[in-house]
């Protein structure tokens, strides 16, 4: 059975979808809202997002089932190993999946992550430390990294 719900984040609305007992997508709303069908897993996802945004939840337990190729799923699984409050580069992500030559493919898979925040693609940055590539926009990536204490508003003043 499929579910759908919406979550009001501090910087925009997310559409959450599920199939059976797992989340299939958490993505910024780009179209009009349709009637919600709040399945238990959707409610769990919303509760965990509340905790992430308000009380600093550091990891998620909601079941996930992102739909992608074997390579994409490998990249997305590795993204889930990046701890709260840390970042890695695209180069390091390529190394972690065992193929340094796949850096562009890794970047593409990262950008096609269907489950924002929970699969933390926002924690991947450029090798030089610059914020690059985020499907939701760099302003949202910056907000998430500030929220996790990775970058601070104070540092951006200089």
């Amino acid at each position: 059975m499929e579910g759908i719900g919406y979550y009001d984040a501090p910087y925009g609305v997310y559409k959450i979808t599920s199939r059976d007992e797992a989340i299939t997508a958490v993505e910024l709303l780009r179209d009009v809202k349709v009637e919600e069908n709040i399945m238990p897993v959707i409610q769990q996802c919303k509760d965990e997002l509340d905790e992430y945004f308000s009380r600093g939840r550091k990891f998620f337990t909601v079941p996930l089932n992102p739909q992608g190729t074997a390579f994409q799923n490998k990249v997305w699984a590795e993204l889930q190993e990046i701890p709260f409050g840390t970042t890695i580069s695209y180069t390091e992500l390529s190394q972690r999946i065992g193929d340094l030559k796949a850096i562009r493919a890794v970047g593409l898979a990262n950008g096609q992550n269907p489950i924002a925040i929970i699969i933390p693609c926002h924690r991947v940055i450029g090798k030089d430390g610059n914020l690059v590539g985020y499907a939701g926009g760099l302003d949202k990536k910056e907000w998430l990294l500030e929220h996790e204490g990775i970058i601070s508003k104070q540092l951006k003043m200089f």
Side-chain angles (χ1 to χ4, degrees):
M1 183 159 212
E2 295 187 1
I4 187 169
Y6 300 95
Y7 181 80
D8 291 321
Y11 52 78
V13 177
Y14 281 92
K15 178 180 174 182
I16 304 168
T17 57
S18 69
R19 181 172 299 124
D20 300 323
E21 300 299 318
I23 298 298
T24 55
V26 175
E27 49 199 0
L28 281 167
L29 181 64
R30 301 194 191 285
D31 50 11
V32 297
K33 288 184 178 181
V34 297
E35 186 176 343
E36 291 185 297
N37 182 21
I38 306 290
M39 307 302 289
V41 72
I42 297 271
Q43 188 58 55
Q44 179 185 353
C45 184
K46 290 171 80 168
D47 292 345
E48 290 186 13
L49 286 169
D50 272 345
E51 293 168 3
Y52 170 81
F53 284 112
S54 67
R55 293 187 289 283
R57 174 181 272 275
K58 300 201 178 352
F59 56 89
F60 293 87
T61 61
V62 65
L64 305 177
N65 187 13
Q67 302 298 301
T69 66
F71 180 80
Q72 288 172 325
N73 280 299
K74 185 175 183 179
V75 171
W76 299 336
E78 193 58 46
L79 289 172
Q80 293 176 74
E81 300 301 317
I82 306 169
F84 179 95
T86 62
T87 59
I88 66 170
S89 69
Y90 289 96
T91 302
E92 184 176 344
L93 183 56
S94 294
Q95 289 171 329
R96 288 184 179 193
I97 66 157
D99 189 353
L100 187 54
K101 294 177 184 174
I103 192 165
R104 288 180 188 249
V106 163
L108 186 59
N110 192 62
Q112 294 172 332
N113 169 23
I115 303 178
I117 303 169
I118 298 169
I119 298 179
C121 56
H122 61 278
R123 296 180 188 152
V124 182
I125 61 174
K127 188 165 65 172
D128 60 1
N130 285 328
L131 302 185
V132 294
Y134 190 65
L138 288 180
D139 59 324
K140 288 159 187 75
K141 181 173 190 162
E142 184 176 357
W143 193 100
L144 290 165
L145 294 176
E146 284 179 5
H147 173 71
E148 293 187 14
I150 297 168
I151 58 175
S152 72
K153 291 180 183 178
Q154 185 82 16
L155 291 175
K156 292 188 321 187
M157 292 172 44
F158 299 100

